[in-house]
């Protein structure tokens, strides 16, 4: 297997955390991988025969699974049976020296192992316990197997991916598992900020629902149930180029640039001047676009569109990524190896996974976690209390990062220009009608609740002086501008670090701050394509599929990861840190196992529907009723035998997994014949009773009515419907966030130095802030 050697180690000025990982699911192992990559000591606990993932196909020449290698690089390993007396003793020894435990056992199994959250808190009072389960740490349904497909179905995300007249799709790879790992990483940092530790409770289905928050808002505001739109209807579409696919993505005000790009008279029809008319008359001009695209390469179209400021993206497969000049310039991946690092600005290790013979010792006793800066030891204190964050983020990726930090106690100051506020303020709700653009969009509310809001004109010296004054007192800054904007405005990291040497500065750009394509523009749908995700999402053997503009999946996971990074730097006291996150690279990082396989073998995977290695059958099946579906995911022979007996396929009872896979069409037909005769509810009931892992594909309406999501506060209803929280802490319940700020609502008090939750900020002398431009010009 062609993997680069590890580069660097340690965590700059932060202390090394001791992490114990007892997880056989992808999400728990990705969370451990993040901590190992950042230089922490992660001890992976494997059963005596080793983690079954070690040998799951596809494997390298030595028989090691590419997925295992990607998820477990830089970890240590210890073999133990936590159900045996000697295994329990060894586990207790490991936990006594640990800061963090990552565990994905359901409540029954955790109790059997004496590792329930309550028991762990009693035995190890300062230990941070991170649980990642299908439905939550205390939900009996979490005793059954769960993965990204099942979570995306129950959470409603799968109902939004795919073509409207075909079966729902899971996103390629294990996307919800990776998103849940980012949430768990964030939660772990929050718990480390609490003086007595805490239990972090992450449910895979909650994370999937949280990612699909826009569908919930649309249903609540309009009463219409959102449906999947695929890639060939709607305002944004994919078009086939001479050598692949391109995302045709633009905002209404960019139509003139589209006309210039295509250069066909059909697009100059005066009737197409309005966005609504263009959508209604799309059959008049779209054929011209298809003819034009068919004569050009996907990269040619992409670069021509970007030169006009159009946020197009081309569908990059894994071979494209390995040879991509941008990825090579940033050493992310190449045919000669790379770092596969999700962030630039922190030390990142990319070395080999542990051998099965490795045996990690416990080492020194665990250091006592530090208490929160500037707070008492009271458990009622918010984890991020005292942290001041300047939020220049817009739409989702940046703004949602700030919302997550505000939810857990940070004072987040949203900064906008009076003449050009966050575009989400007036973003129309899909399905509400083109004329019904509200003064304050409910979409804006979800990403900005709980913040303070001020307006600054950063094109003036007065505006720049004000933001420098605020930066002098702040702990962190978030921005997701196009690369180069912060430098031109004089608010880039080199400038503000002179003002505040302890500032944590997070840049969430499309492709990172360096490289030949660093100045490109994108939306989530562009990044679906550019990251390689769309190339492995879709119906088997067919065109690539994106998450759609209704989800914009890349934006959602970028915000989860961004919040985790800022909380990490705060918990580790890594001040004066510049965090350069390429949104494109982060999404590609979720496909690390497939990238490593490509670098080793040249294999270029394509869409595989809902089928995944190591699980068969693994798909969704139509039930009785309109667009009603049930997901089934079997990993073991016992589960398959139970399914065969239930659906009357007695000849498959006792057959090995290989036979099920070879005959998957026959198996799928038998399952479908059984499910089509039953309601979705009946299918769930009978499959659950038989012990077959399954989940209903829920619509936004069904999810809104599901008491699970209400009980766990994944969505909130005050002052109006909005997204809630993707995780739960046992020791801290976030309050209902205050409404999103009106434009400039807190101008007067903040400019007078009165920032709630902070000390007064004195106005600096002008001489304290040298001009960022040579010769004193701005």
């Amino acid at each position: 297997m062609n993997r680069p050697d590890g580069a660097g180690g340690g965590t700059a000025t932060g202390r090394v955390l001791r992490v114990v990982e007892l997880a056989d699911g992808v999400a728990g192992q990705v969370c451990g991988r993040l901590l190992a990559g950042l230089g922490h000591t992660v001890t992976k606990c494997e059963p005596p025969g080793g983690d079954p993932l070690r040998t799951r196909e596809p494997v390298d020449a030595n028989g090691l699974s590419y997925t295992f290698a990607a998820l477990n690089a830089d970890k240590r390993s210890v073999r133990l049976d936590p159900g045996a007396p000697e295994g329990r003793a060894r586990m207790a020894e490991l936990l006594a020296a640990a800061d963090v435990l990552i565990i994905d056992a359901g409540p029954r199994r955790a109790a059997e192992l004496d590792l329930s959250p309550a028991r762990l808190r009693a035995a190890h009072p300062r230990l941070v316990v991170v649980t990642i389960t299908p439905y939550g740490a205390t939900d009996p349904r979490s005793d059954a197997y769960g993965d990204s497909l099942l979570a995306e179905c129950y959470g409603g995300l799968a109902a939004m991916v795919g073509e409207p007249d075909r079966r729902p799709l899971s996103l390629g790879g294990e996307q919800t598992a990776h998103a849940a790992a980012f949430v768990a990483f964030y939660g772990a940092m929050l718990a480390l900020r609490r003086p007595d530790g805490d239990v972090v409770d992450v449910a895979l289905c909650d994370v999937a629902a949280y990612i699909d928050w826009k569908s919930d808002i649309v249903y609540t505001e309009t009463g219409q149930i959102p449906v999947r739109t695929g890639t060939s209807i709607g305002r944004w579409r994919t078009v086939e180029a001479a050598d692949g696919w391109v995302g045709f993505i633009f905002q209404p005000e960019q139509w003139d640039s589209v006309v210039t790009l295509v250069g066909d008279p059909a697009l100059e029809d005066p009737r197409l001047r309005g966005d609504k008319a263009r959508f209604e008359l799309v059959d008049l001009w779209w054929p011209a676009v298809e003819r034009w695209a068919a004569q050009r390469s996907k990269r040619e179209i992409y670069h021509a569109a970007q030169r006009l400021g159009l946020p197009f993206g081309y569908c990059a497969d894994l071979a494209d990524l390995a040879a991509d000049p941008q990825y090579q310039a940033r050493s992310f991946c190449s045919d000669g190896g790379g770092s596969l690092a999700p962030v630039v600005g922190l030390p990142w290790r990319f070395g080999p996974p542990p051998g099965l013979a490795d045996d990690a010792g416990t080492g020194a006793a665990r250091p006592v976690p530090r208490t929160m800066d500037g707070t008492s030891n009271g458990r009622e204190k918010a984890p991020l209390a005292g942290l001041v964050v300047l939020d220049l983020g817009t739409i989702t990726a940046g703004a949602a990062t700030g919302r997550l930090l505000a939810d857990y106690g940070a004072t987040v100051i949203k900064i906008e220009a009076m003449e050009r506020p966050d575009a989400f303020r007036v973003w129309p709700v899909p399905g509400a009608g083109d004329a019904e653009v509200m003064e304050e969009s409910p979409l804006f509310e979800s990403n900005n609740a709980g913040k303070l809001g001020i307006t600054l004109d950063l094109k003036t010296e007065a505006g720049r002086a004000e933001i420098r004054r605020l930066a002098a007192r702040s702990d962190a800054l978030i921005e997701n501008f196009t690369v180069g904007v912060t430098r031109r405005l004089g608010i880039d990291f080199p400038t503000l670090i002179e003002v505040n040497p302890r500032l944590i500065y997070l840049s969430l750009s499309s492709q990172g701050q360096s490289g030949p394509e660093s100045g490109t523009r994108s939306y989530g749908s562009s990044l679906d394509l550019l990251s390689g995700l769309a190339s492995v999402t879709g119906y088997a053997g067919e065109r690539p599929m994106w998450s759609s503009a209704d989800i914009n999946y890349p934006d959602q996971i970028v915000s989860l990861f961004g919040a985790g990074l800022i909380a990490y730097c705060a918990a580790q006291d890594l001040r004066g840190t510049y965090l350069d996150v390429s949104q494109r690279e982060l999404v590609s990082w979720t496909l690390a196992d497939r990238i490593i396989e490509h670098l080793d073998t040249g294999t270029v995977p394509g869409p595989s529907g809902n089928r995944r290695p190591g699980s068969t059958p693994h798909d969704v099946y139509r039930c009785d009723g309109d667009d009603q579906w049930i997901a089934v995911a079997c990993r073991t022979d016992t589960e398959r035998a139970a399914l065969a007996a239930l659906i009357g396929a007695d000849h498959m009872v006792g057959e090995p997994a290989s036979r099920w896979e070879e005959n998957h069409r026959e198996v799928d037909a038998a399952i479908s014949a059984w499910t089509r005769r039953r309601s979705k509810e009946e299918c769930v009931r009978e499959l659950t009773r038989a012990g077959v892992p399954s989940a209903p594909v829920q619509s936004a309406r069904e999810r809104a009515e599901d008491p699970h999501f209400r009980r766990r506060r994944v969505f909130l209803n005050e002052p109006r419907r909005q997204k809630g929280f993707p995780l739960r802490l046992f020791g801290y319940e976030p309050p209902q966030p205050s409404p999103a700020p009106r434009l400039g609502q807190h101008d007067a008090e903040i400019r007078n130095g009165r920032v709630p939750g902070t000390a007064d900020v004195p106005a600096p002398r002008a001489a304290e802030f040298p001009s960022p431009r040579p010769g004193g010009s701005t």
Side-chain angles (χ1 to χ4, degrees):
M1 186 184 304
N2 183 12
R3 287 196 308 272
D5 294 331
T11 55
T13 58
R15 66 188 180 90
V16 176
L17 300 171
R18 299 183 67 86
V19 182
V20 175
E21 178 193 299
L22 182 63
D24 61 7
V26 171
Q29 295 187 51
V30 174
C31 186
R33 172 69 188 109
L34 284 169
L35 290 161
L38 291 168
H40 301 287
T41 302
V42 178
T43 300
K44 179 180 179 64
C45 298
E46 302 187 60
D51 187 333
L53 189 60
R54 282 184 176 272
T55 55
R56 194 183 79 182
E57 297 285 348
V59 297
D60 68 7
N62 297 315
L64 181 66
S65 166
Y66 293 107
T67 299
F68 182 87
L71 301 188
N72 294 287
D74 293 294
K75 298 178 185 177
R76 303 180 182 184
S77 176
V78 59
R79 285 179 288 179
L80 59 82
D81 178 1
E86 61 274 17
R88 288 182 185 234
R90 187 65 192 281
M91 177 61 70
E93 184 183 5
L94 289 168
L95 294 180
D99 298 288
V100 179
L101 167 67
I102 302 168
I103 183 171
D104 61 6
R108 184 181 66 238
R109 178 62 174 162
E112 292 171 353
L113 300 177
D114 210 18
L115 294 173
S116 67
R119 178 71 184 89
L120 287 166
R121 291 289 288 160
H124 309 282
R126 290 184 174 239
L127 181 68
V128 169
V129 180
V130 179
T131 72
I132 310 176
T133 59
Y135 297 94
T138 61
D139 193 316
R141 294 177 296 177
S142 291
D143 286 316
Y145 169 70
D147 65 359
S148 293
L149 172 65
L150 299 179
E152 288 165 28
C153 289
Y154 189 81
L157 182 61
M160 297 297 295
V161 181
E163 298 294 348
D165 56 344
R166 301 180 67 179
R167 69 183 59 213
L169 286 173
S170 178
L171 294 168
E174 284 277 346
Q175 291 305 314
T176 290
H178 279 80
F182 297 158
V183 171
F185 174 68
Y186 178 45
M189 296 308 110
L190 295 176
L192 284 169
R193 291 265 299 177
R194 295 179 57 72
D196 299 319
D198 209 336
V199 175
V200 182
D201 180 6
V202 178
L204 290 170
C205 66
D206 291 1
V207 175
Y210 186 88
I211 288 170
D212 189 39
W213 64 272
K214 284 192 283 187
S215 295
D216 186 84
I217 304 303
V218 170
Y219 169 70
T220 306
E221 292 287 330
T222 69
Q224 300 177 30
I225 301 174
V227 296
R228 51 197 175 277
T229 57
T231 60
S232 56
I233 64 175
R235 285 171 168 79
W236 292 359
R237 305 184 177 199
T238 59
V239 61
E240 190 168 14
D243 61 347
W245 296 87
V246 176
F248 207 83
I249 301 165
F250 64 96
Q251 290 296 345
E253 62 272 17
Q254 295 177 311
W255 177 249
D256 287 343
S257 295
V258 172
V259 174
T260 300
L261 176 69
V262 177
D264 191 293
L267 278 66
E268 297 175 2
D269 189 323
R271 291 176 295 173
L272 303 180
R273 298 305 302 170
D275 181 59
K276 183 176 182 181
R278 284 194 297 271
F279 181 64
E280 294 172 346
L281 299 173
V282 67
D283 290 340
L284 295 181
W285 59 272
W286 188 252
V289 172
E290 292 179 317
R291 291 192 299 270
W292 166 80
Q295 301 171 20
R296 293 161 176 81
S297 72
K298 59 186 181 182
R299 288 184 182 85
E300 179 185 355
I301 295 171
Y302 165 68
H303 289 299
Q306 287 287 338
R307 284 193 294 270
L308 291 169
L310 295 168
F312 283 26
Y314 70 89
C315 183
D317 60 27
L318 299 195
D320 292 323
L321 297 186
D324 189 272
Q326 177 68 13
Y327 275 32
Q328 291 183 335
R330 288 173 60 84
S331 299
F332 180 76
C333 74
S334 67
D335 54 10
S339 63
L340 288 183
V343 61
V344 174
L346 293 172
W348 182 261
R349 301 190 308 189
F350 185 55
L356 187 54
D358 291 355
D359 191 8
T362 57
R366 169 173 50 87
V368 177
R370 62 169 56 89
T371 58
M372 294 176 288
D373 295 339
T375 66
S376 71
N377 288 349
R379 290 179 60 82
E380 75 283 356
K381 291 292 185 180
L384 299 180
L387 198 74
V388 180
V389 180
L390 301 183
D391 180 358
L392 290 104
T394 61
I395 307 184
T396 294
T401 300
R403 162 70 198 274
L404 282 161
L405 298 171
D407 285 340
Y408 292 92
T411 298
V412 179
I413 303 172
K414 184 174 182 67
I415 300 173
E416 302 173 83
M418 184 64 74
E419 298 78 14
R420 192 176 181 183
D422 187 337
F424 242 29
R425 283 191 178 272
V426 292
W427 206 273
V429 175
D434 290 310
E436 297 182 24
V437 180
M438 304 178 185
E439 181 180 351
E440 292 290 336
S441 170
L443 301 176
F444 178 83
E445 182 72 38
S446 274
N447 283 342
N448 295 281
K451 302 177 185 178
L452 307 175
I454 65 169
T455 56
L456 294 177
D457 184 355
L458 297 177
K459 294 182 180 179
T460 68
E461 181 53 40
R464 290 191 288 270
E466 180 67 16
I467 197 171
R468 292 195 290 266
R469 183 181 73 85
L470 290 170
R473 176 57 183 83
S474 298
D475 298 281
L477 181 146
I478 305 164
E479 63 89 8
N480 64 328
F481 294 124
T482 301
V483 171
V485 170
T486 58
R487 185 188 60 80
R488 290 195 299 270
L489 293 176
I491 59 169
D492 54 341
F493 178 72
T495 299
L496 295 186
I497 200 67
E498 293 293 328
V499 175
N500 180 357
R502 289 177 55 79
L503 186 67
I504 302 165
Y505 194 114
L506 173 63
S507 290
L508 302 170
S509 60
S510 173
Q511 300 207 46
Q513 298 294 307
S514 60
E517 295 185 13
S518 59
T520 55
R521 303 179 182 214
S522 65
Y523 288 105
S525 294
S526 318
L527 295 165
D528 273 325
L529 296 163
L530 291 167
S531 66
L533 176 59
S535 76
V536 294
T537 301
Y539 302 101
E542 298 186 27
R543 69 195 293 174
M545 183 68 61
W546 55 23
S547 65
S548 84
D550 296 327
I551 297 172
N552 276 339
Y553 170 77
D555 291 345
Q556 316 310 323
I557 65 164
V558 164
S559 66
L560 298 173
F561 187 64
L565 284 179
I566 288 182
Y568 174 76
C569 289
Q572 288 289 97
D573 199 28
L574 298 177
R575 304 296 179 138
T577 301
Y578 184 61
L579 303 166
D580 171 13
V581 175
S582 160
Q583 298 181 39
R584 180 189 183 192
E585 290 174 4
L586 180 65
V587 182
S588 295
W589 191 79
T590 69
L591 305 174
D593 57 340
R594 309 309 302 273
I595 294 173
I596 293 173
E597 180 188 5
H598 170 74
L599 296 178
D600 190 36
T601 67
T603 300
V604 181
S608 59
N610 293 316
R611 309 192 71 80
R612 297 293 183 273
S615 185
T616 184
H618 193 273
D619 212 333
V620 299
Y621 302 91
R622 191 183 292 275
C623 305
D624 183 41
D626 182 33
D627 201 30
Q628 298 295 295
W629 303 84
I630 182 81
V632 174
C634 295
R635 283 191 310 170
T636 68
D637 291 339
T638 300
E639 293 166 351
R640 281 183 282 272
L643 175 62
L646 180 65
I647 66 175
D650 295 338
H651 64 288
M652 293 300 293
V653 175
E655 292 287 351
S658 58
R659 285 277 298 151
W660 284 73
E661 184 60 35
E662 291 167 3
N663 298 291
H664 69 86
R665 289 186 176 85
E666 175 190 342
V667 170
D668 288 346
I671 298 172
S672 294
W674 183 84
T675 59
R676 280 180 177 272
R677 299 194 301 269
R678 293 163 174 80
S679 69
K680 185 166 61 179
E681 294 74 19
E682 185 180 359
C683 289
V684 171
R685 187 166 55 250
E686 293 194 31
L687 287 164
T688 301
R689 187 182 298 125
V692 177
S694 62
V697 179
Q698 299 211 93
S699 67
R701 177 184 62 78
E702 291 168 320
R703 183 178 59 205
E705 296 170 354
D706 191 327
H708 168 90
F709 298 108
R710 182 168 57 252
R711 181 173 60 251
R712 291 179 62 88
R713 302 182 74 202
V714 179
F715 299 100
L716 305 172
N717 287 313
E718 297 293 339
R720 65 196 302 180
R721 188 72 166 182
Q722 62 183 275
K723 66 180 176 183
F725 314 108
L727 63 91
R728 302 205 69 187
L729 295 174
F730 277 26
Y732 177 78
E733 187 71 26
Q736 180 76 31
S738 60
R742 299 185 304 277
L743 186 61
Q745 180 178 346
H746 302 97
D747 278 353
E749 57 187 303
I750 292 178
R751 285 174 180 164
N752 288 329
R754 297 191 300 275
V755 179
T758 72
D760 287 351
V761 184
R765 299 185 305 275
E768 293 182 35
F769 305 114
S771 170
R773 296 284 182 266
S777 64
T778 58

